[in-house]
């Protein structure tokens, strides 16, 4: 549903928010947790190249009613409490923040902190992190690289498949990623422990659970988005050699748990309303989704037209002043399942979801070569990526940095961005001697 906060004519007295192509115009207003000048972490809202400090704004008395209650909840070191309130209070706060920051309102630069002076923190302290695999293109490329005659797992078209990943190691960008030590099996059959030789990234869309559900109480697919507080970019750093060897028969464990990065700004579904599209239409011959996955609202607008990219920069590129090069260019519209279907599936057996829990879509690969959204799809460990300066990469090397970006655009709307999810790879730690 569109409202006054989406009005494309709206501009802000924060000049940087009005620059064409800005990720955080007044139509976006994402939530994040930041600290500045030695403060404890607390909530803020991004506007242009500034952060609106919700603590200072609340103290200044600029919010009323439900919006004030939401701002108060956002003064905690995580957004869990705000997320637990469900989406209505956050929406009330969005409406008042929009009015506060709009051109014509009395400018309040005293409530702003430059982003350059803000340290970003993870938006929530998640009790759980669930990673799905909902791109059929990612699935097929993985299968074909192992076996040209391989078949799709029997469940893929009947349910959004997933595994329980690790919540404790989920961090906010731009925290560096330390190359993990792990156990792999070499081509000659020998088994060794040491720094991985096939570290990968996975470009994913993450989402935060808002209001939870009681243990035993499932969530209807057309009510599922009421339980999604907002979206972020997510890098499911994947240690392929470790993952390959450890995964039979229980699935990935240490190959996925070393660290997960999220972009620090949570883009609300309300902000993304202009960019929704119908849920994916299944190709002729595919089985129909089971009835509990089918809802009128989700079919009509469960999809999302979101351009996503990965930029890559090596130490030599950095030293030579060369800009990061695009290695992935994809769109969330290629996914086989919707966000609502993922959440509904998760709770369908009565499993309780809790505010601040994180879920992710799985690698957002599309059908074309440029939309392969992890290195194992692009190189298969054989066909190196060639960067603009001639350097080649099969996997991530120490000092390499990956930068995820995403942007929603539509004629007649002001485009919004997700900011960045970035991380540089640092060398593995030495194994402790004692
Ligand atoms: Mn993944």
């Amino acid at each position: 549903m569109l409202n006054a906060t989406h009005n494309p004519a709206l501009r802000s007295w924060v000049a940087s928010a009005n620059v064409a192509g800005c990720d955080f115009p007044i139509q976006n207003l994402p939530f994040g947790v930041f600290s500045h000048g030695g403060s404890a972490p607390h909530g803020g809202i991004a506007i242009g190249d500034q952060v609106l400090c919700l603590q200072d704004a609340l103290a200044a008395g600029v919010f009323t009613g439900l919006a004030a209650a939401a701002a108060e909840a956002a003064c905690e070191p995580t957004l869990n409490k705000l997320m637990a309130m469900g989406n209505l209070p956050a929406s009330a706060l969005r409406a008042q923040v929009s009015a506060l920051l709009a051109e014509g309102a009395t400018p309040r630069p005293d409530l702003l902190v430059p982003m350059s002076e803000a340290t970003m923190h993870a938006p929530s302290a998640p009790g759980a992190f669930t990673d799905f695999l909902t791109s059929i293109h990612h699935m097929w490329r993985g299968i074909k690289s192992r076996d040209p005659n391989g078949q799709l797992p029997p469940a893929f078209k009947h349910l959004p498949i997933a595994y329980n990943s690790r919540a404790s190691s989920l961090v906010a960008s731009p925290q560096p990623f330390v190359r993990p030590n792990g156990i792999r099996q070499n081509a000659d059959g020998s088994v060794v422990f040491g720094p991985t030789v096939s570290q990968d990234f996975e470009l994913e869309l993450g989402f935060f659970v808002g209001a939870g559900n009681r243990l035993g109480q499932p969530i209807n697919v057309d009510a599922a988005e009421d339980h999604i507080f907002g979206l972020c970019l997510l890098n499911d750093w994947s240690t392929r050699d470790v993952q390959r060897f450890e995964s039979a028969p229980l699935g990935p464990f240490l190959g996925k748990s070393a660290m997960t990065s999220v972009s620090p700004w949570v883009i609300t579904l309300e902000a993304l309303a202009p960019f929704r599209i119908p849920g994916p239409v299944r190709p002729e011959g595919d089985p129909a989704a089971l009835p509990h996955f089918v809802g009128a609202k989700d079919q009509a607008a469960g999809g999302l037209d979101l351009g996503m990219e990965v930029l890559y920069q090596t130490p030599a590129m950095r030293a030579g002043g060369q800009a990061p090069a695009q290695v992935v260019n994809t769109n969330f519209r290629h996914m086989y399942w919707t966000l609502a279907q993922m959440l509904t599936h998760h709770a369908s057996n009565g499993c309780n979801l809790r505010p601040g829990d994180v879920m992710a879509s799985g690698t957002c690969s599309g059908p074309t070569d440029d939309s392969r959204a992890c290195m194992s799809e692009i190189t298969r460990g054989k066909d190196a990526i060639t960067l603009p300066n001639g350097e080649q990469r099969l996997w991530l090397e120490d000092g390499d940095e990956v930068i995820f970006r995403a942007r929603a655009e539509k004629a007649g709307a002001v485009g919004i961005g997700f900011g960045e999810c970035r991380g540089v790879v640092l060398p593995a730690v030495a194994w402790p001697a004692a």
Side-chain angles (χ1 to χ4, degrees):
M1 289 290 258
L2 298 188
N3 57 43
T5 66
H6 301 99
N7 181 356
L10 266 188
R11 291 166 57 86
S12 174
W13 50 261
V14 180
S16 57
N18 303 325
V19 175
C22 169
D23 276 351
F24 307 120
I26 193 167
Q27 289 81 4
N28 194 346
L29 303 178
F31 290 92
V33 174
F34 75 116
S35 55
H36 57 104
S39 79
H42 57 279
I45 288 180
I47 178 75
D49 60 6
Q50 306 287 312
V51 183
L52 173 72
C53 176
L54 289 173
Q55 209 161 55
D56 292 350
L58 183 69
V62 300
F63 302 130
T64 58
L66 203 52
E72 194 177 344
C75 288
E76 306 268 319
T78 71
L79 298 179
N80 288 59
K81 196 171 162 186
L82 176 65
M83 292 170 173
M85 296 170 85
N87 292 346
L88 214 60
S91 177
L93 181 55
R94 170 184 166 89
Q96 291 191 13
V97 167
S98 176
L100 175 72
L101 296 173
E103 215 168 55
T106 308
R108 292 296 305 265
D110 56 310
L111 304 179
L112 301 178
V113 175
M115 268 184 197
S116 58
E117 294 171 19
T119 300
M120 300 307 299
H121 303 270
S124 77
F129 166 35
T130 305
D131 199 18
F132 287 83
L133 196 175
T134 60
S135 160
I136 199 166
H137 310 288
H138 175 67
M139 186 80 243
W140 267 125
R141 288 195 191 95
I143 293 165
K144 295 289 184 191
S145 75
R146 288 186 295 273
D147 174 6
N149 302 312
Q151 295 299 311
L152 211 59
F156 187 91
K157 292 178 177 175
H158 296 287
L159 57 100
I161 58 175
Y163 67 99
N164 287 307
S165 195
R166 186 72 195 169
S168 66
S169 51
L170 190 134
V171 303
S173 163
Q175 187 151 321
F177 176 80
V178 178
R179 178 177 299 278
N181 285 300
I183 299 171
R184 68 175 182 274
Q185 185 169 41
N186 294 316
D188 65 4
S190 61
V191 175
V192 296
F193 176 80
T196 173
V197 295
S198 53
Q199 183 59 47
D200 202 351
F201 61 79
E202 287 187 341
L203 171 61
E204 304 195 12
L205 193 66
F207 56 105
F208 293 88
V209 173
N213 60 308
R214 268 196 340 272
L215 183 66
Q217 182 62 57
I219 299 170
N220 184 282
V221 69
D222 272 351
E225 290 197 359
D226 296 339
H227 297 265
I228 298 176
F229 182 82
L231 277 48
C232 66
L233 286 164
L234 185 143
N235 186 347
D236 179 25
W237 299 96
S238 297
T239 310
R240 298 300 185 192
D241 42 10
V242 172
Q243 181 188 349
R244 196 178 310 120
F245 191 46
E246 75 180 358
S247 287
L250 287 183
F253 182 46
L254 300 186
K256 298 283 195 172
S257 64
M259 195 173 106
T260 301
S261 301
V262 295
S263 54
W265 294 108
V266 184
I267 315 300
T268 62
L269 286 178
E270 187 173 357
L272 289 162
F275 313 101
R276 302 307 297 269
I277 55 175
V281 177
R282 296 185 165 208
E284 193 80 34
D286 276 13
L290 289 166
H292 72 291
F293 284 129
V294 182
K297 188 178 145 207
D298 195 51
Q299 298 240 287
L304 175 64
D305 184 3
L306 179 71
M308 306 171 76
E309 64 173 344
V310 179
L311 305 172
Y312 201 106
Q313 192 180 46
T314 67
M317 292 167 73
R318 215 155 35 239
Q322 286 152 341
Q326 188 188 68
V327 293
V328 180
N329 179 21
T330 185
N331 191 298
F332 194 71
R333 67 191 311 149
H334 300 308
M335 308 307 275
Y336 196 85
W337 296 94
T338 66
L339 299 172
Q341 288 169 329
M342 293 178 220
L343 188 128
T344 288
H345 179 62
H346 204 317
S348 63
N349 63 348
C351 172
N352 52 326
L353 312 176
R354 294 189 297 187
D357 284 359
V358 174
M359 298 184 199
S361 63
T363 308
C364 296
S365 301
T368 56
D369 277 359
D370 66 338
S371 62
R372 297 173 295 185
C374 62
M375 292 180 91
S376 77
E377 280 183 62
I378 302 169
T379 73
R380 298 173 301 145
K382 293 184 282 220
D383 310 318
I385 294 172
T386 301
L387 295 159
N389 67 352
E391 282 184 288
Q392 296 200 312
R393 287 292 187 271
L394 287 174
W395 304 106
L396 290 163
E397 295 188 9
D398 291 348
D400 290 356
E401 184 167 39
V402 286
I403 303 155
F404 295 0
R405 288 191 188 142
R407 226 181 133 72
E409 304 266 11
K410 188 191 175 185
V414 173
I416 63 175
F418 274 56
E420 290 183 341
C421 179
R422 61 164 70 214
V424 67
V425 179
L426 299 182
V429 296
W431 187 252

